[in-house]
Amino acid sequence: MIVFLLAASSSASDVVTPTRTLRPGTLITHADLTVQDVDRTGMFDRIEDVAGQEARIALYAGRPIPFEAIGPPALINRNEIVVLHFRAGGLSISTEGRALERGGVGDRVRIMNLSSRATLFGFVQPDGSIKVTQ
């Protein structure tokens, strides 16, 4: 007689969790984080990957931090006046606009061109300007 035994195994792994509740917009520091052995995968496993980022949603103490819950710190805030850059072919236009939402480096944000009042989309650049997309 042959008997096959199937057993479900749960593999615990190290995941980064906050030591306290962090509100959206909070800059996350090393002191705010700890590593716990939890039965979850697909979460951050190194404190270095989370420290220095900004909470995009509320992060609760002891709960794993999902990848989409954090991002780069905001360089621009809502209603802030920013420089807009548009380049296509040999044409280059720069003007001022108003940010309609917060954003960090690489984030796609809505902005309003102050001259035309048109609403546009662009990507936040490391210098705080916006590269307007077509």
Side-chain angles (χ1 to χ4, degrees), residues 17-23 26-29 31-34 59-62:
T17 62
T19 57
R20 64 184 179 93
T21 299
L22 302 171
R23 297 173 54 119
T26 302
L27 186 62
I28 304 169
T29 67
D32 296 324
L33 304 169
T34 188
L59 303 175
Y60 298 100

PDB file of all heavy atoms in Angstrom, residues 17-23 26-29 31-34 59-62:
ATOM      1  N   THR A  17       7.598  46.299   9.158  1.00  0.00           N
ATOM      2  CA  THR A  17       6.354  46.835   9.715  1.00  0.00           C
ATOM      3  C   THR A  17       6.657  48.122  10.477  1.00  0.00           C
ATOM      4  O   THR A  17       7.755  48.289  11.013  1.00  0.00           O
ATOM      5  CB  THR A  17       5.675  45.841  10.678  1.00  0.00           C
ATOM      6  OG1 THR A  17       6.547  45.592  11.776  1.00  0.00           O
ATOM      7  CG2 THR A  17       5.348  44.533   9.980  1.00  0.00           C
ATOM      8  N   PRO A  18       5.702  49.037  10.539  1.00  0.00           N
ATOM      9  CA  PRO A  18       5.898  50.257  11.326  1.00  0.00           C
ATOM     10  C   PRO A  18       5.840  49.950  12.825  1.00  0.00           C
ATOM     11  O   PRO A  18       5.136  49.042  13.257  1.00  0.00           O
ATOM     12  CB  PRO A  18       4.720  51.149  10.929  1.00  0.00           C
ATOM     13  CG  PRO A  18       4.088  50.508   9.754  1.00  0.00           C
ATOM     14  CD  PRO A  18       4.460  49.075   9.783  1.00  0.00           C
ATOM     15  N   THR A  19       6.577  50.720  13.603  1.00  0.00           N
ATOM     16  CA  THR A  19       6.532  50.585  15.058  1.00  0.00           C
ATOM     17  C   THR A  19       5.408  51.422  15.648  1.00  0.00           C
ATOM     18  O   THR A  19       5.060  51.253  16.810  1.00  0.00           O
ATOM     19  CB  THR A  19       7.864  51.028  15.695  1.00  0.00           C
ATOM     20  OG1 THR A  19       8.142  52.369  15.297  1.00  0.00           O
ATOM     21  CG2 THR A  19       9.001  50.115  15.263  1.00  0.00           C
ATOM     22  N   ARG A  20       4.865  52.355  14.839  1.00  0.00           N
ATOM     23  CA  ARG A  20       3.757  53.210  15.258  1.00  0.00           C
ATOM     24  C   ARG A  20       2.917  53.507  14.031  1.00  0.00           C
ATOM     25  O   ARG A  20       3.347  53.271  12.908  1.00  0.00           O
ATOM     26  CB  ARG A  20       4.277  54.507  15.883  1.00  0.00           C
ATOM     27  CG  ARG A  20       5.054  55.373  14.914  1.00  0.00           C
ATOM     28  CD  ARG A  20       5.658  56.625  15.579  1.00  0.00           C
ATOM     29  NE  ARG A  20       6.410  57.424  14.644  1.00  0.00           N
ATOM     30  CZ  ARG A  20       5.919  58.441  13.941  1.00  0.00           C
ATOM     31  NH1 ARG A  20       4.666  58.811  14.099  1.00  0.00           N
ATOM     32  NH2 ARG A  20       6.674  59.126  13.113  1.00  0.00           N
ATOM     33  N   THR A  21       1.713  54.000  14.243  1.00  0.00           N
ATOM     34  CA  THR A  21       0.849  54.365  13.121  1.00  0.00           C
ATOM     35  C   THR A  21       1.420  55.603  12.432  1.00  0.00           C
ATOM     36  O   THR A  21       1.761  56.588  13.086  1.00  0.00           O
ATOM     37  CB  THR A  21      -0.585  54.629  13.605  1.00  0.00           C
ATOM     38  OG1 THR A  21      -1.088  53.420  14.193  1.00  0.00           O
ATOM     39  CG2 THR A  21      -1.488  55.047  12.455  1.00  0.00           C
ATOM     40  N   LEU A  22       1.527  55.531  11.102  1.00  0.00           N
ATOM     41  CA  LEU A  22       2.064  56.635  10.309  1.00  0.00           C
ATOM     42  C   LEU A  22       0.968  57.165   9.401  1.00  0.00           C
ATOM     43  O   LEU A  22       0.353  56.416   8.648  1.00  0.00           O
ATOM     44  CB  LEU A  22       3.253  56.154   9.470  1.00  0.00           C
ATOM     45  CG  LEU A  22       4.418  55.545  10.248  1.00  0.00           C
ATOM     46  CD1 LEU A  22       5.430  54.922   9.299  1.00  0.00           C
ATOM     47  CD2 LEU A  22       5.077  56.591  11.128  1.00  0.00           C
ATOM     48  N   ARG A  23       0.716  58.449   9.491  1.00  0.00           N
ATOM     49  CA  ARG A  23      -0.316  59.099   8.677  1.00  0.00           C
ATOM     50  C   ARG A  23       0.192  59.313   7.257  1.00  0.00           C
ATOM     51  O   ARG A  23       1.397  59.413   7.036  1.00  0.00           O
ATOM     52  CB  ARG A  23      -0.688  60.433   9.294  1.00  0.00           C
ATOM     53  CG  ARG A  23      -1.301  60.309  10.675  1.00  0.00           C
ATOM     54  CD  ARG A  23      -1.482  61.669  11.305  1.00  0.00           C
ATOM     55  NE  ARG A  23      -2.244  62.548  10.429  1.00  0.00           N
ATOM     56  CZ  ARG A  23      -3.407  63.083  10.740  1.00  0.00           C
ATOM     57  NH1 ARG A  23      -3.934  62.877  11.916  1.00  0.00           N
ATOM     58  NH2 ARG A  23      -4.045  63.857   9.894  1.00  0.00           N
ATOM     59  N   THR A  26       3.636  61.254   5.893  1.00  0.00           N
ATOM     60  CA  THR A  26       4.718  61.182   6.876  1.00  0.00           C
ATOM     61  C   THR A  26       5.983  60.664   6.216  1.00  0.00           C
ATOM     62  O   THR A  26       5.952  59.665   5.500  1.00  0.00           O
ATOM     63  CB  THR A  26       4.339  60.233   8.040  1.00  0.00           C
ATOM     64  OG1 THR A  26       3.140  60.709   8.643  1.00  0.00           O
ATOM     65  CG2 THR A  26       5.447  60.150   9.065  1.00  0.00           C
ATOM     66  N   LEU A  27       7.104  61.328   6.470  1.00  0.00           N
ATOM     67  CA  LEU A  27       8.395  60.854   6.004  1.00  0.00           C
ATOM     68  C   LEU A  27       8.831  59.735   6.945  1.00  0.00           C
ATOM     69  O   LEU A  27       8.914  59.931   8.153  1.00  0.00           O
ATOM     70  CB  LEU A  27       9.422  61.985   5.987  1.00  0.00           C
ATOM     71  CG  LEU A  27      10.767  61.644   5.374  1.00  0.00           C
ATOM     72  CD1 LEU A  27      10.608  61.260   3.903  1.00  0.00           C
ATOM     73  CD2 LEU A  27      11.716  62.811   5.492  1.00  0.00           C
ATOM     74  N   ILE A  28       9.106  58.555   6.421  1.00  0.00           N
ATOM     75  CA  ILE A  28       9.406  57.374   7.224  1.00  0.00           C
ATOM     76  C   ILE A  28      10.895  57.323   7.561  1.00  0.00           C
ATOM     77  O   ILE A  28      11.733  57.433   6.672  1.00  0.00           O
ATOM     78  CB  ILE A  28       8.984  56.094   6.470  1.00  0.00           C
ATOM     79  CG1 ILE A  28       7.500  56.175   6.094  1.00  0.00           C
ATOM     80  CG2 ILE A  28       9.273  54.857   7.304  1.00  0.00           C
ATOM     81  CD1 ILE A  28       7.050  55.102   5.120  1.00  0.00           C
ATOM     82  N   THR A  29      11.216  57.157   8.843  1.00  0.00           N
ATOM     83  CA  THR A  29      12.606  57.065   9.297  1.00  0.00           C
ATOM     84  C   THR A  29      12.903  55.651   9.788  1.00  0.00           C
ATOM     85  O   THR A  29      11.996  54.846   9.987  1.00  0.00           O
ATOM     86  CB  THR A  29      12.882  58.055  10.444  1.00  0.00           C
ATOM     87  OG1 THR A  29      12.127  57.637  11.589  1.00  0.00           O
ATOM     88  CG2 THR A  29      12.501  59.484  10.063  1.00  0.00           C
ATOM     89  N   ALA A  31      13.760  54.802  12.706  1.00  0.00           N
ATOM     90  CA  ALA A  31      13.164  54.631  14.031  1.00  0.00           C
ATOM     91  C   ALA A  31      11.692  54.217  13.957  1.00  0.00           C
ATOM     92  O   ALA A  31      11.162  53.666  14.912  1.00  0.00           O
ATOM     93  CB  ALA A  31      13.292  55.921  14.838  1.00  0.00           C
ATOM     94  N   ASP A  32      11.039  54.460  12.809  1.00  0.00           N
ATOM     95  CA  ASP A  32       9.628  54.110  12.635  1.00  0.00           C
ATOM     96  C   ASP A  32       9.421  52.659  12.214  1.00  0.00           C
ATOM     97  O   ASP A  32       8.286  52.209  12.079  1.00  0.00           O
ATOM     98  CB  ASP A  32       8.987  54.994  11.548  1.00  0.00           C
ATOM     99  CG  ASP A  32       8.954  56.454  11.924  1.00  0.00           C
ATOM    100  OD1 ASP A  32       8.762  56.756  13.118  1.00  0.00           O
ATOM    101  OD2 ASP A  32       9.118  57.302  11.016  1.00  0.00           O
ATOM    102  N   LEU A  33      10.508  51.918  11.986  1.00  0.00           N
ATOM    103  CA  LEU A  33      10.397  50.595  11.369  1.00  0.00           C
ATOM    104  C   LEU A  33      11.025  49.477  12.186  1.00  0.00           C
ATOM    105  O   LEU A  33      11.968  49.704  12.939  1.00  0.00           O
ATOM    106  CB  LEU A  33      11.076  50.625   9.988  1.00  0.00           C
ATOM    107  CG  LEU A  33      10.558  51.677   9.014  1.00  0.00           C
ATOM    108  CD1 LEU A  33      11.468  51.768   7.817  1.00  0.00           C
ATOM    109  CD2 LEU A  33       9.140  51.371   8.601  1.00  0.00           C
ATOM    110  N   THR A  34      10.502  48.291  11.982  1.00  0.00           N
ATOM    111  CA  THR A  34      11.068  47.078  12.564  1.00  0.00           C
ATOM    112  C   THR A  34      10.826  45.947  11.576  1.00  0.00           C
ATOM    113  O   THR A  34      10.033  46.075  10.650  1.00  0.00           O
ATOM    114  CB  THR A  34      10.446  46.753  13.942  1.00  0.00           C
ATOM    115  OG1 THR A  34      11.167  45.675  14.524  1.00  0.00           O
ATOM    116  CG2 THR A  34       8.987  46.396  13.837  1.00  0.00           C
ATOM    117  N   LEU A  59      -0.337  53.824   7.588  1.00  0.00           N
ATOM    118  CA  LEU A  59       0.378  52.577   7.869  1.00  0.00           C
ATOM    119  C   LEU A  59       0.223  52.300   9.359  1.00  0.00           C
ATOM    120  O   LEU A  59       0.537  53.152  10.181  1.00  0.00           O
ATOM    121  CB  LEU A  59       1.861  52.704   7.503  1.00  0.00           C
ATOM    122  CG  LEU A  59       2.159  53.096   6.052  1.00  0.00           C
ATOM    123  CD1 LEU A  59       3.648  53.315   5.865  1.00  0.00           C
ATOM    124  CD2 LEU A  59       1.646  52.030   5.093  1.00  0.00           C
ATOM    125  N   TYR A  60      -0.265  51.104   9.691  1.00  0.00           N
ATOM    126  CA  TYR A  60      -0.569  50.783  11.076  1.00  0.00           C
ATOM    127  C   TYR A  60       0.525  49.934  11.704  1.00  0.00           C
ATOM    128  O   TYR A  60       1.099  49.051  11.059  1.00  0.00           O
ATOM    129  CB  TYR A  60      -1.923  50.075  11.169  1.00  0.00           C
ATOM    130  CG  TYR A  60      -3.041  50.959  10.678  1.00  0.00           C
ATOM    131  CD1 TYR A  60      -3.558  50.818   9.398  1.00  0.00           C
ATOM    132  CD2 TYR A  60      -3.542  51.974  11.487  1.00  0.00           C
ATOM    133  CE1 TYR A  60      -4.563  51.654   8.939  1.00  0.00           C
ATOM    134  CE2 TYR A  60      -4.554  52.808  11.041  1.00  0.00           C
ATOM    135  CZ  TYR A  60      -5.055  52.652   9.768  1.00  0.00           C
ATOM    136  OH  TYR A  60      -6.041  53.492   9.316  1.00  0.00           O
ATOM    137  N   ALA A  61       0.803  50.211  12.965  1.00  0.00           N
ATOM    138  CA  ALA A  61       1.860  49.511  13.712  1.00  0.00           C
ATOM    139  C   ALA A  61       1.658  48.005  13.641  1.00  0.00           C
ATOM    140  O   ALA A  61       0.547  47.506  13.828  1.00  0.00           O
ATOM    141  CB  ALA A  61       1.861  49.972  15.167  1.00  0.00           C
ATOM    142  N   GLY A  62       2.725  47.288  13.327  1.00  0.00           N
ATOM    143  CA  GLY A  62       2.703  45.834  13.302  1.00  0.00           C
ATOM    144  C   GLY A  62       2.165  45.205  12.035  1.00  0.00           C
ATOM    145  O   GLY A  62       2.229  43.998  11.875  1.00  0.00           O
TER     146      GLY A  62
END
